[in-house]
Amino acid sequence: GESVGLHLPTLSVQEGDNSIINCAYSNSASDYFIWYKQESGKGPQFIIDIRSNMDKRQGQRVTVLLNKTVKHLSLQIAATQPGDSAVYFCAEIEIQGAQKLVFGQGTRLTINP
Amino acid sequence: NAGVMQNPRHLVRRRGQEARLRCSPMKGHSHVYWYRQLPEEGLKFMVYLQKENIIDESGMPKERFSAEFPKEGPSILRIQQVVRGDSAAYFCASSLQQVANTEAFFGQGTRLTVV
């Protein structure tokens, strides 16, 4: 089975608020993590990544936090907009192992106007 | 530079027929990955190919499924004698190098419906 899982399948936030999407992983050998956004009817789109030698990385309105001790990562989206409504997946790679992305189940984020 | 192109976008097959899904990677990309996605679920890895070679097929069902990435032309995911349980969205991704070193880009997927 997959080694990456998410705490919440759905999340609703008000437009303009911040959102936090969580992800737990079980493979302690995983050392590279990526967040993807998937809009309805489309393929996954890269948002942000983080390697295991970091615990935080920021992009435009997005921040990823990695806690290797408890094998948890999160995606924070600031000042959410209607276009942020989508399903968000975390994925992991074991750099020295199988060169493939392992995806979690996903969280559906809905931005309410 | 066009993105990853998958065709057809939608495919309907009767039980027992064959389904052929095509994926043209981004220009210059020699690494191709196929994933399957059931409704409201994550993407499940199927196979990883690198020009003419199958690198990892640990996610491929043992029977009826095959994949190829010839020297010329698109990558093909072939499903023989389809059953209703094969109904899903199939996504292809490509990358310039191994995914640990470079971004993988996904296509829009092929939605297979078996009736």
Side-chain angles (χ1 to χ4, degrees), chain B residues 7-8 11-14 16-22 64-66 76-83 86 90 110-114:
Chain B
N7 68 83
L11 182 61
V12 179
R13 284 288 177 266
R14 295 186 186 279
Q17 290 184 321
E18 177 181 289
R20 292 172 71 89
L21 288 62
R22 295 174 183 78
R64 302 189 298 108
F65 284 71
S66 62
I76 304 290
L77 178 67
R78 182 183 179 201
I79 311 173
Q80 296 177 288
Q81 299 172 358
V82 296
V83 300
D86 297 332
Y90 292 83
T110 292
R111 279 144 189 85
L112 173 65
T113 302
V114 180

Side-chain angles (χ1 to χ4, degrees), chain A residues 9-25:
Chain A
T10 60
L11 178 64
S12 294
V13 299
Q14 290 298 121
E15 182 178 354
D17 286 353
N18 300 332
S19 67
I20 300 176
I21 300 171
N22 296 301
C23 176
Y25 64 95

Side-chain angles (χ1 to χ4, degrees), chain B:
Chain B
N1 188 6
V4 178
M5 303 301 292
Q6 290 189 247
N7 68 83
R9 289 294 309 276
H10 300 274
L11 182 61
V12 179
R13 284 288 177 266
R14 295 186 186 279
R15 281 179 295 171
Q17 290 184 321
E18 177 181 289
R20 292 172 71 89
L21 288 62
R22 295 174 183 78
C23 170
S24 296
M26 289 183 68
K27 186 177 181 180
H29 287 194
S30 60
H31 300 254
V32 166
Y33 315 82
W34 285 93
Y35 286 80
R36 176 162 66 176
Q37 185 178 35
L38 296 173
E40 300 299 306
E41 292 191 10
L43 285 80
K44 307 292 187 184
F45 170 80
M46 298 182 74
V47 62
Y48 164 32
L49 309 104
Q50 185 184 1
K51 274 303 182 181
E52 299 184 90
N53 295 308
I54 296 175
I55 306 301
D56 183 343
E57 56 181 349
S58 58
M60 288 280 271
K62 299 300 181 188
E63 298 177 345
R64 302 189 298 108
F65 284 71
S66 62
E68 62 177 6
F69 187 17
K71 186 177 181 180
E72 301 292 337
S75 175
I76 304 290
L77 178 67
R78 182 183 179 201
I79 311 173
Q80 296 177 288
Q81 299 172 358
V82 296
V83 300
R84 288 213 171 118
D86 297 332
S87 295
Y90 292 83
F91 289 95
C92 166
S94 75
S95 60
L96 189 61
Q97 301 172 13
Q98 292 179 324
V99 289
N101 303 319
T102 187
E103 184 177 343
F105 295 85
F106 282 82
Q108 301 285 46
T110 292
R111 279 144 189 85
L112 173 65
T113 302
V114 180
V115 297

Side-chain angles (χ1 to χ4, degrees), chain A:
Chain A
E2 301 298 333
S3 65
V4 181
L6 297 176
H7 295 312
L8 297 172
T10 60
L11 178 64
S12 294
V13 299
Q14 290 298 121
E15 182 178 354
D17 286 353
N18 300 332
S19 67
I20 300 176
I21 300 171
N22 296 301
C23 176
Y25 64 95
S26 57
N27 184 1
S28 57
S30 293
D31 41 17
Y32 180 37
F33 305 88
I34 305 171
W35 280 100
Y36 284 90
K37 173 185 181 183
Q38 186 178 27
E39 297 176 279
S40 180
K42 297 184 178 180
Q45 180 182 12
F46 174 95
I47 301 174
I48 191 168
D49 60 357
I50 189 167
R51 298 191 182 267
S52 59
N53 60 350
M54 304 173 67
D55 53 20
K56 180 179 180 179
R57 189 154 190 235
Q58 288 184 291
Q60 188 175 19
R61 289 200 303 117
V62 294
T63 301
V64 56
L65 300 177
L66 175 62
N67 186 329
K68 295 179 288 294
T69 302
V70 295
K71 290 184 282 190
H72 178 272
L73 68 159
S74 65
L75 175 70
Q76 301 177 1
I77 305 175
T80 52
Q81 304 168 357
D84 294 330
S85 293
V87 178
Y88 290 81
F89 296 96
C90 65
E92 62 176 321
I93 300 171
E94 184 181 334
I95 294 177
Q96 296 303 322
Q99 291 292 322
K100 61 189 181 189
L101 292 161
V102 176
F103 283 85
Q105 187 170 0
T107 293
R108 181 177 299 281
L109 176 65
T110 301
I111 309 302
N112 301 313

